[in-house]
Amino acid sequence: MTLLVAIGLLALWYGLLPLRWQNSHLAGPDAPLQRACKAAARGRWEPAARLFEEAGQDWERRSLYAQRLGYLAARRNDRWLRAWEEARPGDPDAALVVARASVLYAWKLRGKAGAHCTSLRQFEGFHRQLLVAQDDIRHALALRPDDPTPLVAEIWRALGLGRSGREMHALWSEITARAPHHFEAHSSALQYWTGKWRGSKRLAREFAERSAAGAPPGSLLAVLPVIAWYENHADELGDAGFRSPKVRGLVDAALADAALADPDHPRLPEVRHLLAYFLYRQGRYRAAREQFRQVDGFTEALPWRYSYVKPLYYRAIRTKTARKALLERRSR
């Protein structure tokens, strides 16, 4: 049986087909961003420019827009981005997207596989592009020095180039001076401190706990210890680990924080995806279903983004959650 046939049978078993309606580039609904991405794919930059104009100093929203539009430029085409730069020389918003795209392109060159499955040629292209990206980040920061978003891209350069912990601490001071509770900055820095990159299980856990403890309610940073636990233990433990009192407490804290967050927070959908998954693994199916309902049809979030069959993985868990929630309700 071929892999494709096996996947097809799995999809039919869980009732996953068709998959065309899924959006694998966003974590949740965002009509203006979706329109801007579609326009950019067709070569038009103006809707993207309007997004940033409307975002103003909303750093969380700017970072999301730069990330997703930068991904589009790095993965598909950047003609629209070059046209934007030509039409508006010195535009800090265009420069920001260029900086994010430059770093994301480096990660495209590297590929998603582990180090042992990555070729020397891939690593050389990856490191070369990360060095090139430094100038793009500096340019974006020079055009708008108060914006922390270019420095979020710098975290991924530091991670990829193996910068020291001392250098990372210095970078972190620059970021938190501009935005002390920035969600994407914290989630990116957490990746740096994980054992699979430049830290360890202890350093990841301590960073997550410290960041969550010092954050205001509704910042969404209470989810960081959940992410740290997932990064540290997801491959080692079965459902018993997910259902331990400690992990249940972490999830409850993140749920309470999400409930206090601005419903319009641009990163709330990402948190909902992870909470839905943990609630499912903990057997809390009705609560998981409520989280899934808010983000259904979108898959660019943990844990799905770690899967090579992201839409299938998402649909499998979401479908089983719905079925088990229904059985749970009927049994009461």
Side-chain angles (χ1 to χ4, degrees):
M1 183 184 295
T2 67
L3 177 60
L4 288 177
V5 171
I7 291 173
L9 289 175
L10 177 66
L12 290 170
W13 175 260
Y14 286 118
L16 304 183
L17 299 177
L19 297 171
R20 288 175 299 176
W21 59 271
Q22 288 195 353
N23 185 317
S24 62
H25 303 295
L26 300 179
D30 187 324
L33 179 54
Q34 287 173 265
R35 286 194 295 269
C37 288
K38 288 180 180 178
R42 298 186 182 108
R44 295 179 55 239
W45 56 269
E46 293 86 354
R50 284 196 295 273
L51 275 183
F52 286 96
E53 290 167 2
E54 292 167 3
Q57 291 186 320
D58 184 340
W59 306 134
E60 297 283 5
R61 201 163 294 280
R62 284 178 64 82
S63 74
L64 174 64
Y65 293 163
Q67 180 192 46
R68 300 327 304 163
L69 288 161
Y71 183 90
L72 182 66
R75 295 279 168 165
R76 295 186 180 180
N77 76 77
D78 64 350
R79 291 189 301 274
W80 60 274
L81 184 52
R82 285 186 275 114
W84 184 0
E85 286 190 290
E86 291 172 6
R88 296 184 179 179
D91 186 332
D93 302 332
L96 174 59
V97 179
V98 168
R100 294 305 297 264
S102 187
V103 175
L104 288 164
Y105 181 62
W107 286 90
K108 177 188 176 183
L109 293 175
R110 183 196 183 280
K112 292 184 177 181
H116 63 287
C117 295
T118 304
S119 70
L120 177 61
R121 183 177 179 180
Q122 286 175 296
F123 273 124
E124 288 175 346
F126 175 54
H127 292 140
R128 185 166 54 248
Q129 179 59 33
L130 286 178
L131 292 173
V132 169
Q134 183 177 33
D135 289 339
D136 294 324
I137 292 172
R138 286 176 174 172
H139 179 59
L141 195 60
L143 291 173
R144 192 158 189 178
D146 58 335
D147 188 356
T149 315
L151 296 175
V152 176
E154 184 64 26
I155 292 175
W156 290 96
R157 284 189 71 255
L159 189 157
L161 293 172
R163 300 302 191 205
S164 69
R166 183 177 180 179
E167 291 173 297
M168 181 61 190
H169 284 303
L171 171 59
W172 191 240
S173 295
E174 288 192 61
I175 293 172
T176 53
R178 291 168 171 82
H181 308 296
H182 192 282
F183 183 86
E184 192 195 359
H186 279 81
S187 60
S188 298
L190 176 56
Q191 287 297 315
Y192 175 93
W193 293 114
T194 58
K196 67 182 178 182
W197 290 114
R198 307 302 172 187
S200 65
K201 289 184 177 181
R202 178 182 63 81
L203 289 172
R205 184 184 68 253
E206 289 177 352
F207 174 82
E209 290 174 350
R210 186 168 59 250
S211 298
S219 66
L220 300 180
L221 296 188
V223 80
L224 291 176
V226 180
I227 299 174
W229 187 91
Y230 181 76
E231 295 286 357
N232 285 343
H233 301 294
D235 293 335
E236 302 172 10
L237 301 171
D239 284 344
F242 281 87
R243 297 185 183 196
S244 70
K246 177 182 178 180
V247 177
R248 190 180 178 104
L250 295 179
V251 171
D252 286 343
L255 278 168
D257 195 36
L260 294 171
D262 181 346
D264 230 9
H265 193 299
R267 298 293 177 172
L268 183 56
E270 293 177 43
V271 173
R272 293 196 186 284
H273 279 281
L274 191 63
L275 288 175
Y277 177 73
F278 268 76
L279 291 165
Y280 163 79
R281 294 295 299 267
Q282 292 173 352
R284 302 158 74 180
Y285 302 117
R286 294 175 70 184
R289 182 182 60 186
E290 290 307 308
Q291 298 297 323
F292 273 122
R293 280 179 173 170
Q294 313 245 14
V295 293
D296 204 11
F298 299 84
T299 59
E300 178 44 40
L302 283 176
W304 330 118
R305 69 163 63 111
Y306 284 170
S307 173
Y308 284 103
V309 286
K310 181 165 63 173
L312 291 176
Y313 185 30
Y314 168 81
R315 286 290 299 270
I317 300 300
R318 195 268 279 163
T319 301
K320 286 193 285 186
T321 296
R323 290 176 178 172
K324 288 178 180 289
L326 184 59
L327 291 173
E328 186 178 69
R329 181 179 179 183
R330 286 176 176 173
S331 66
R332 292 190 174 185

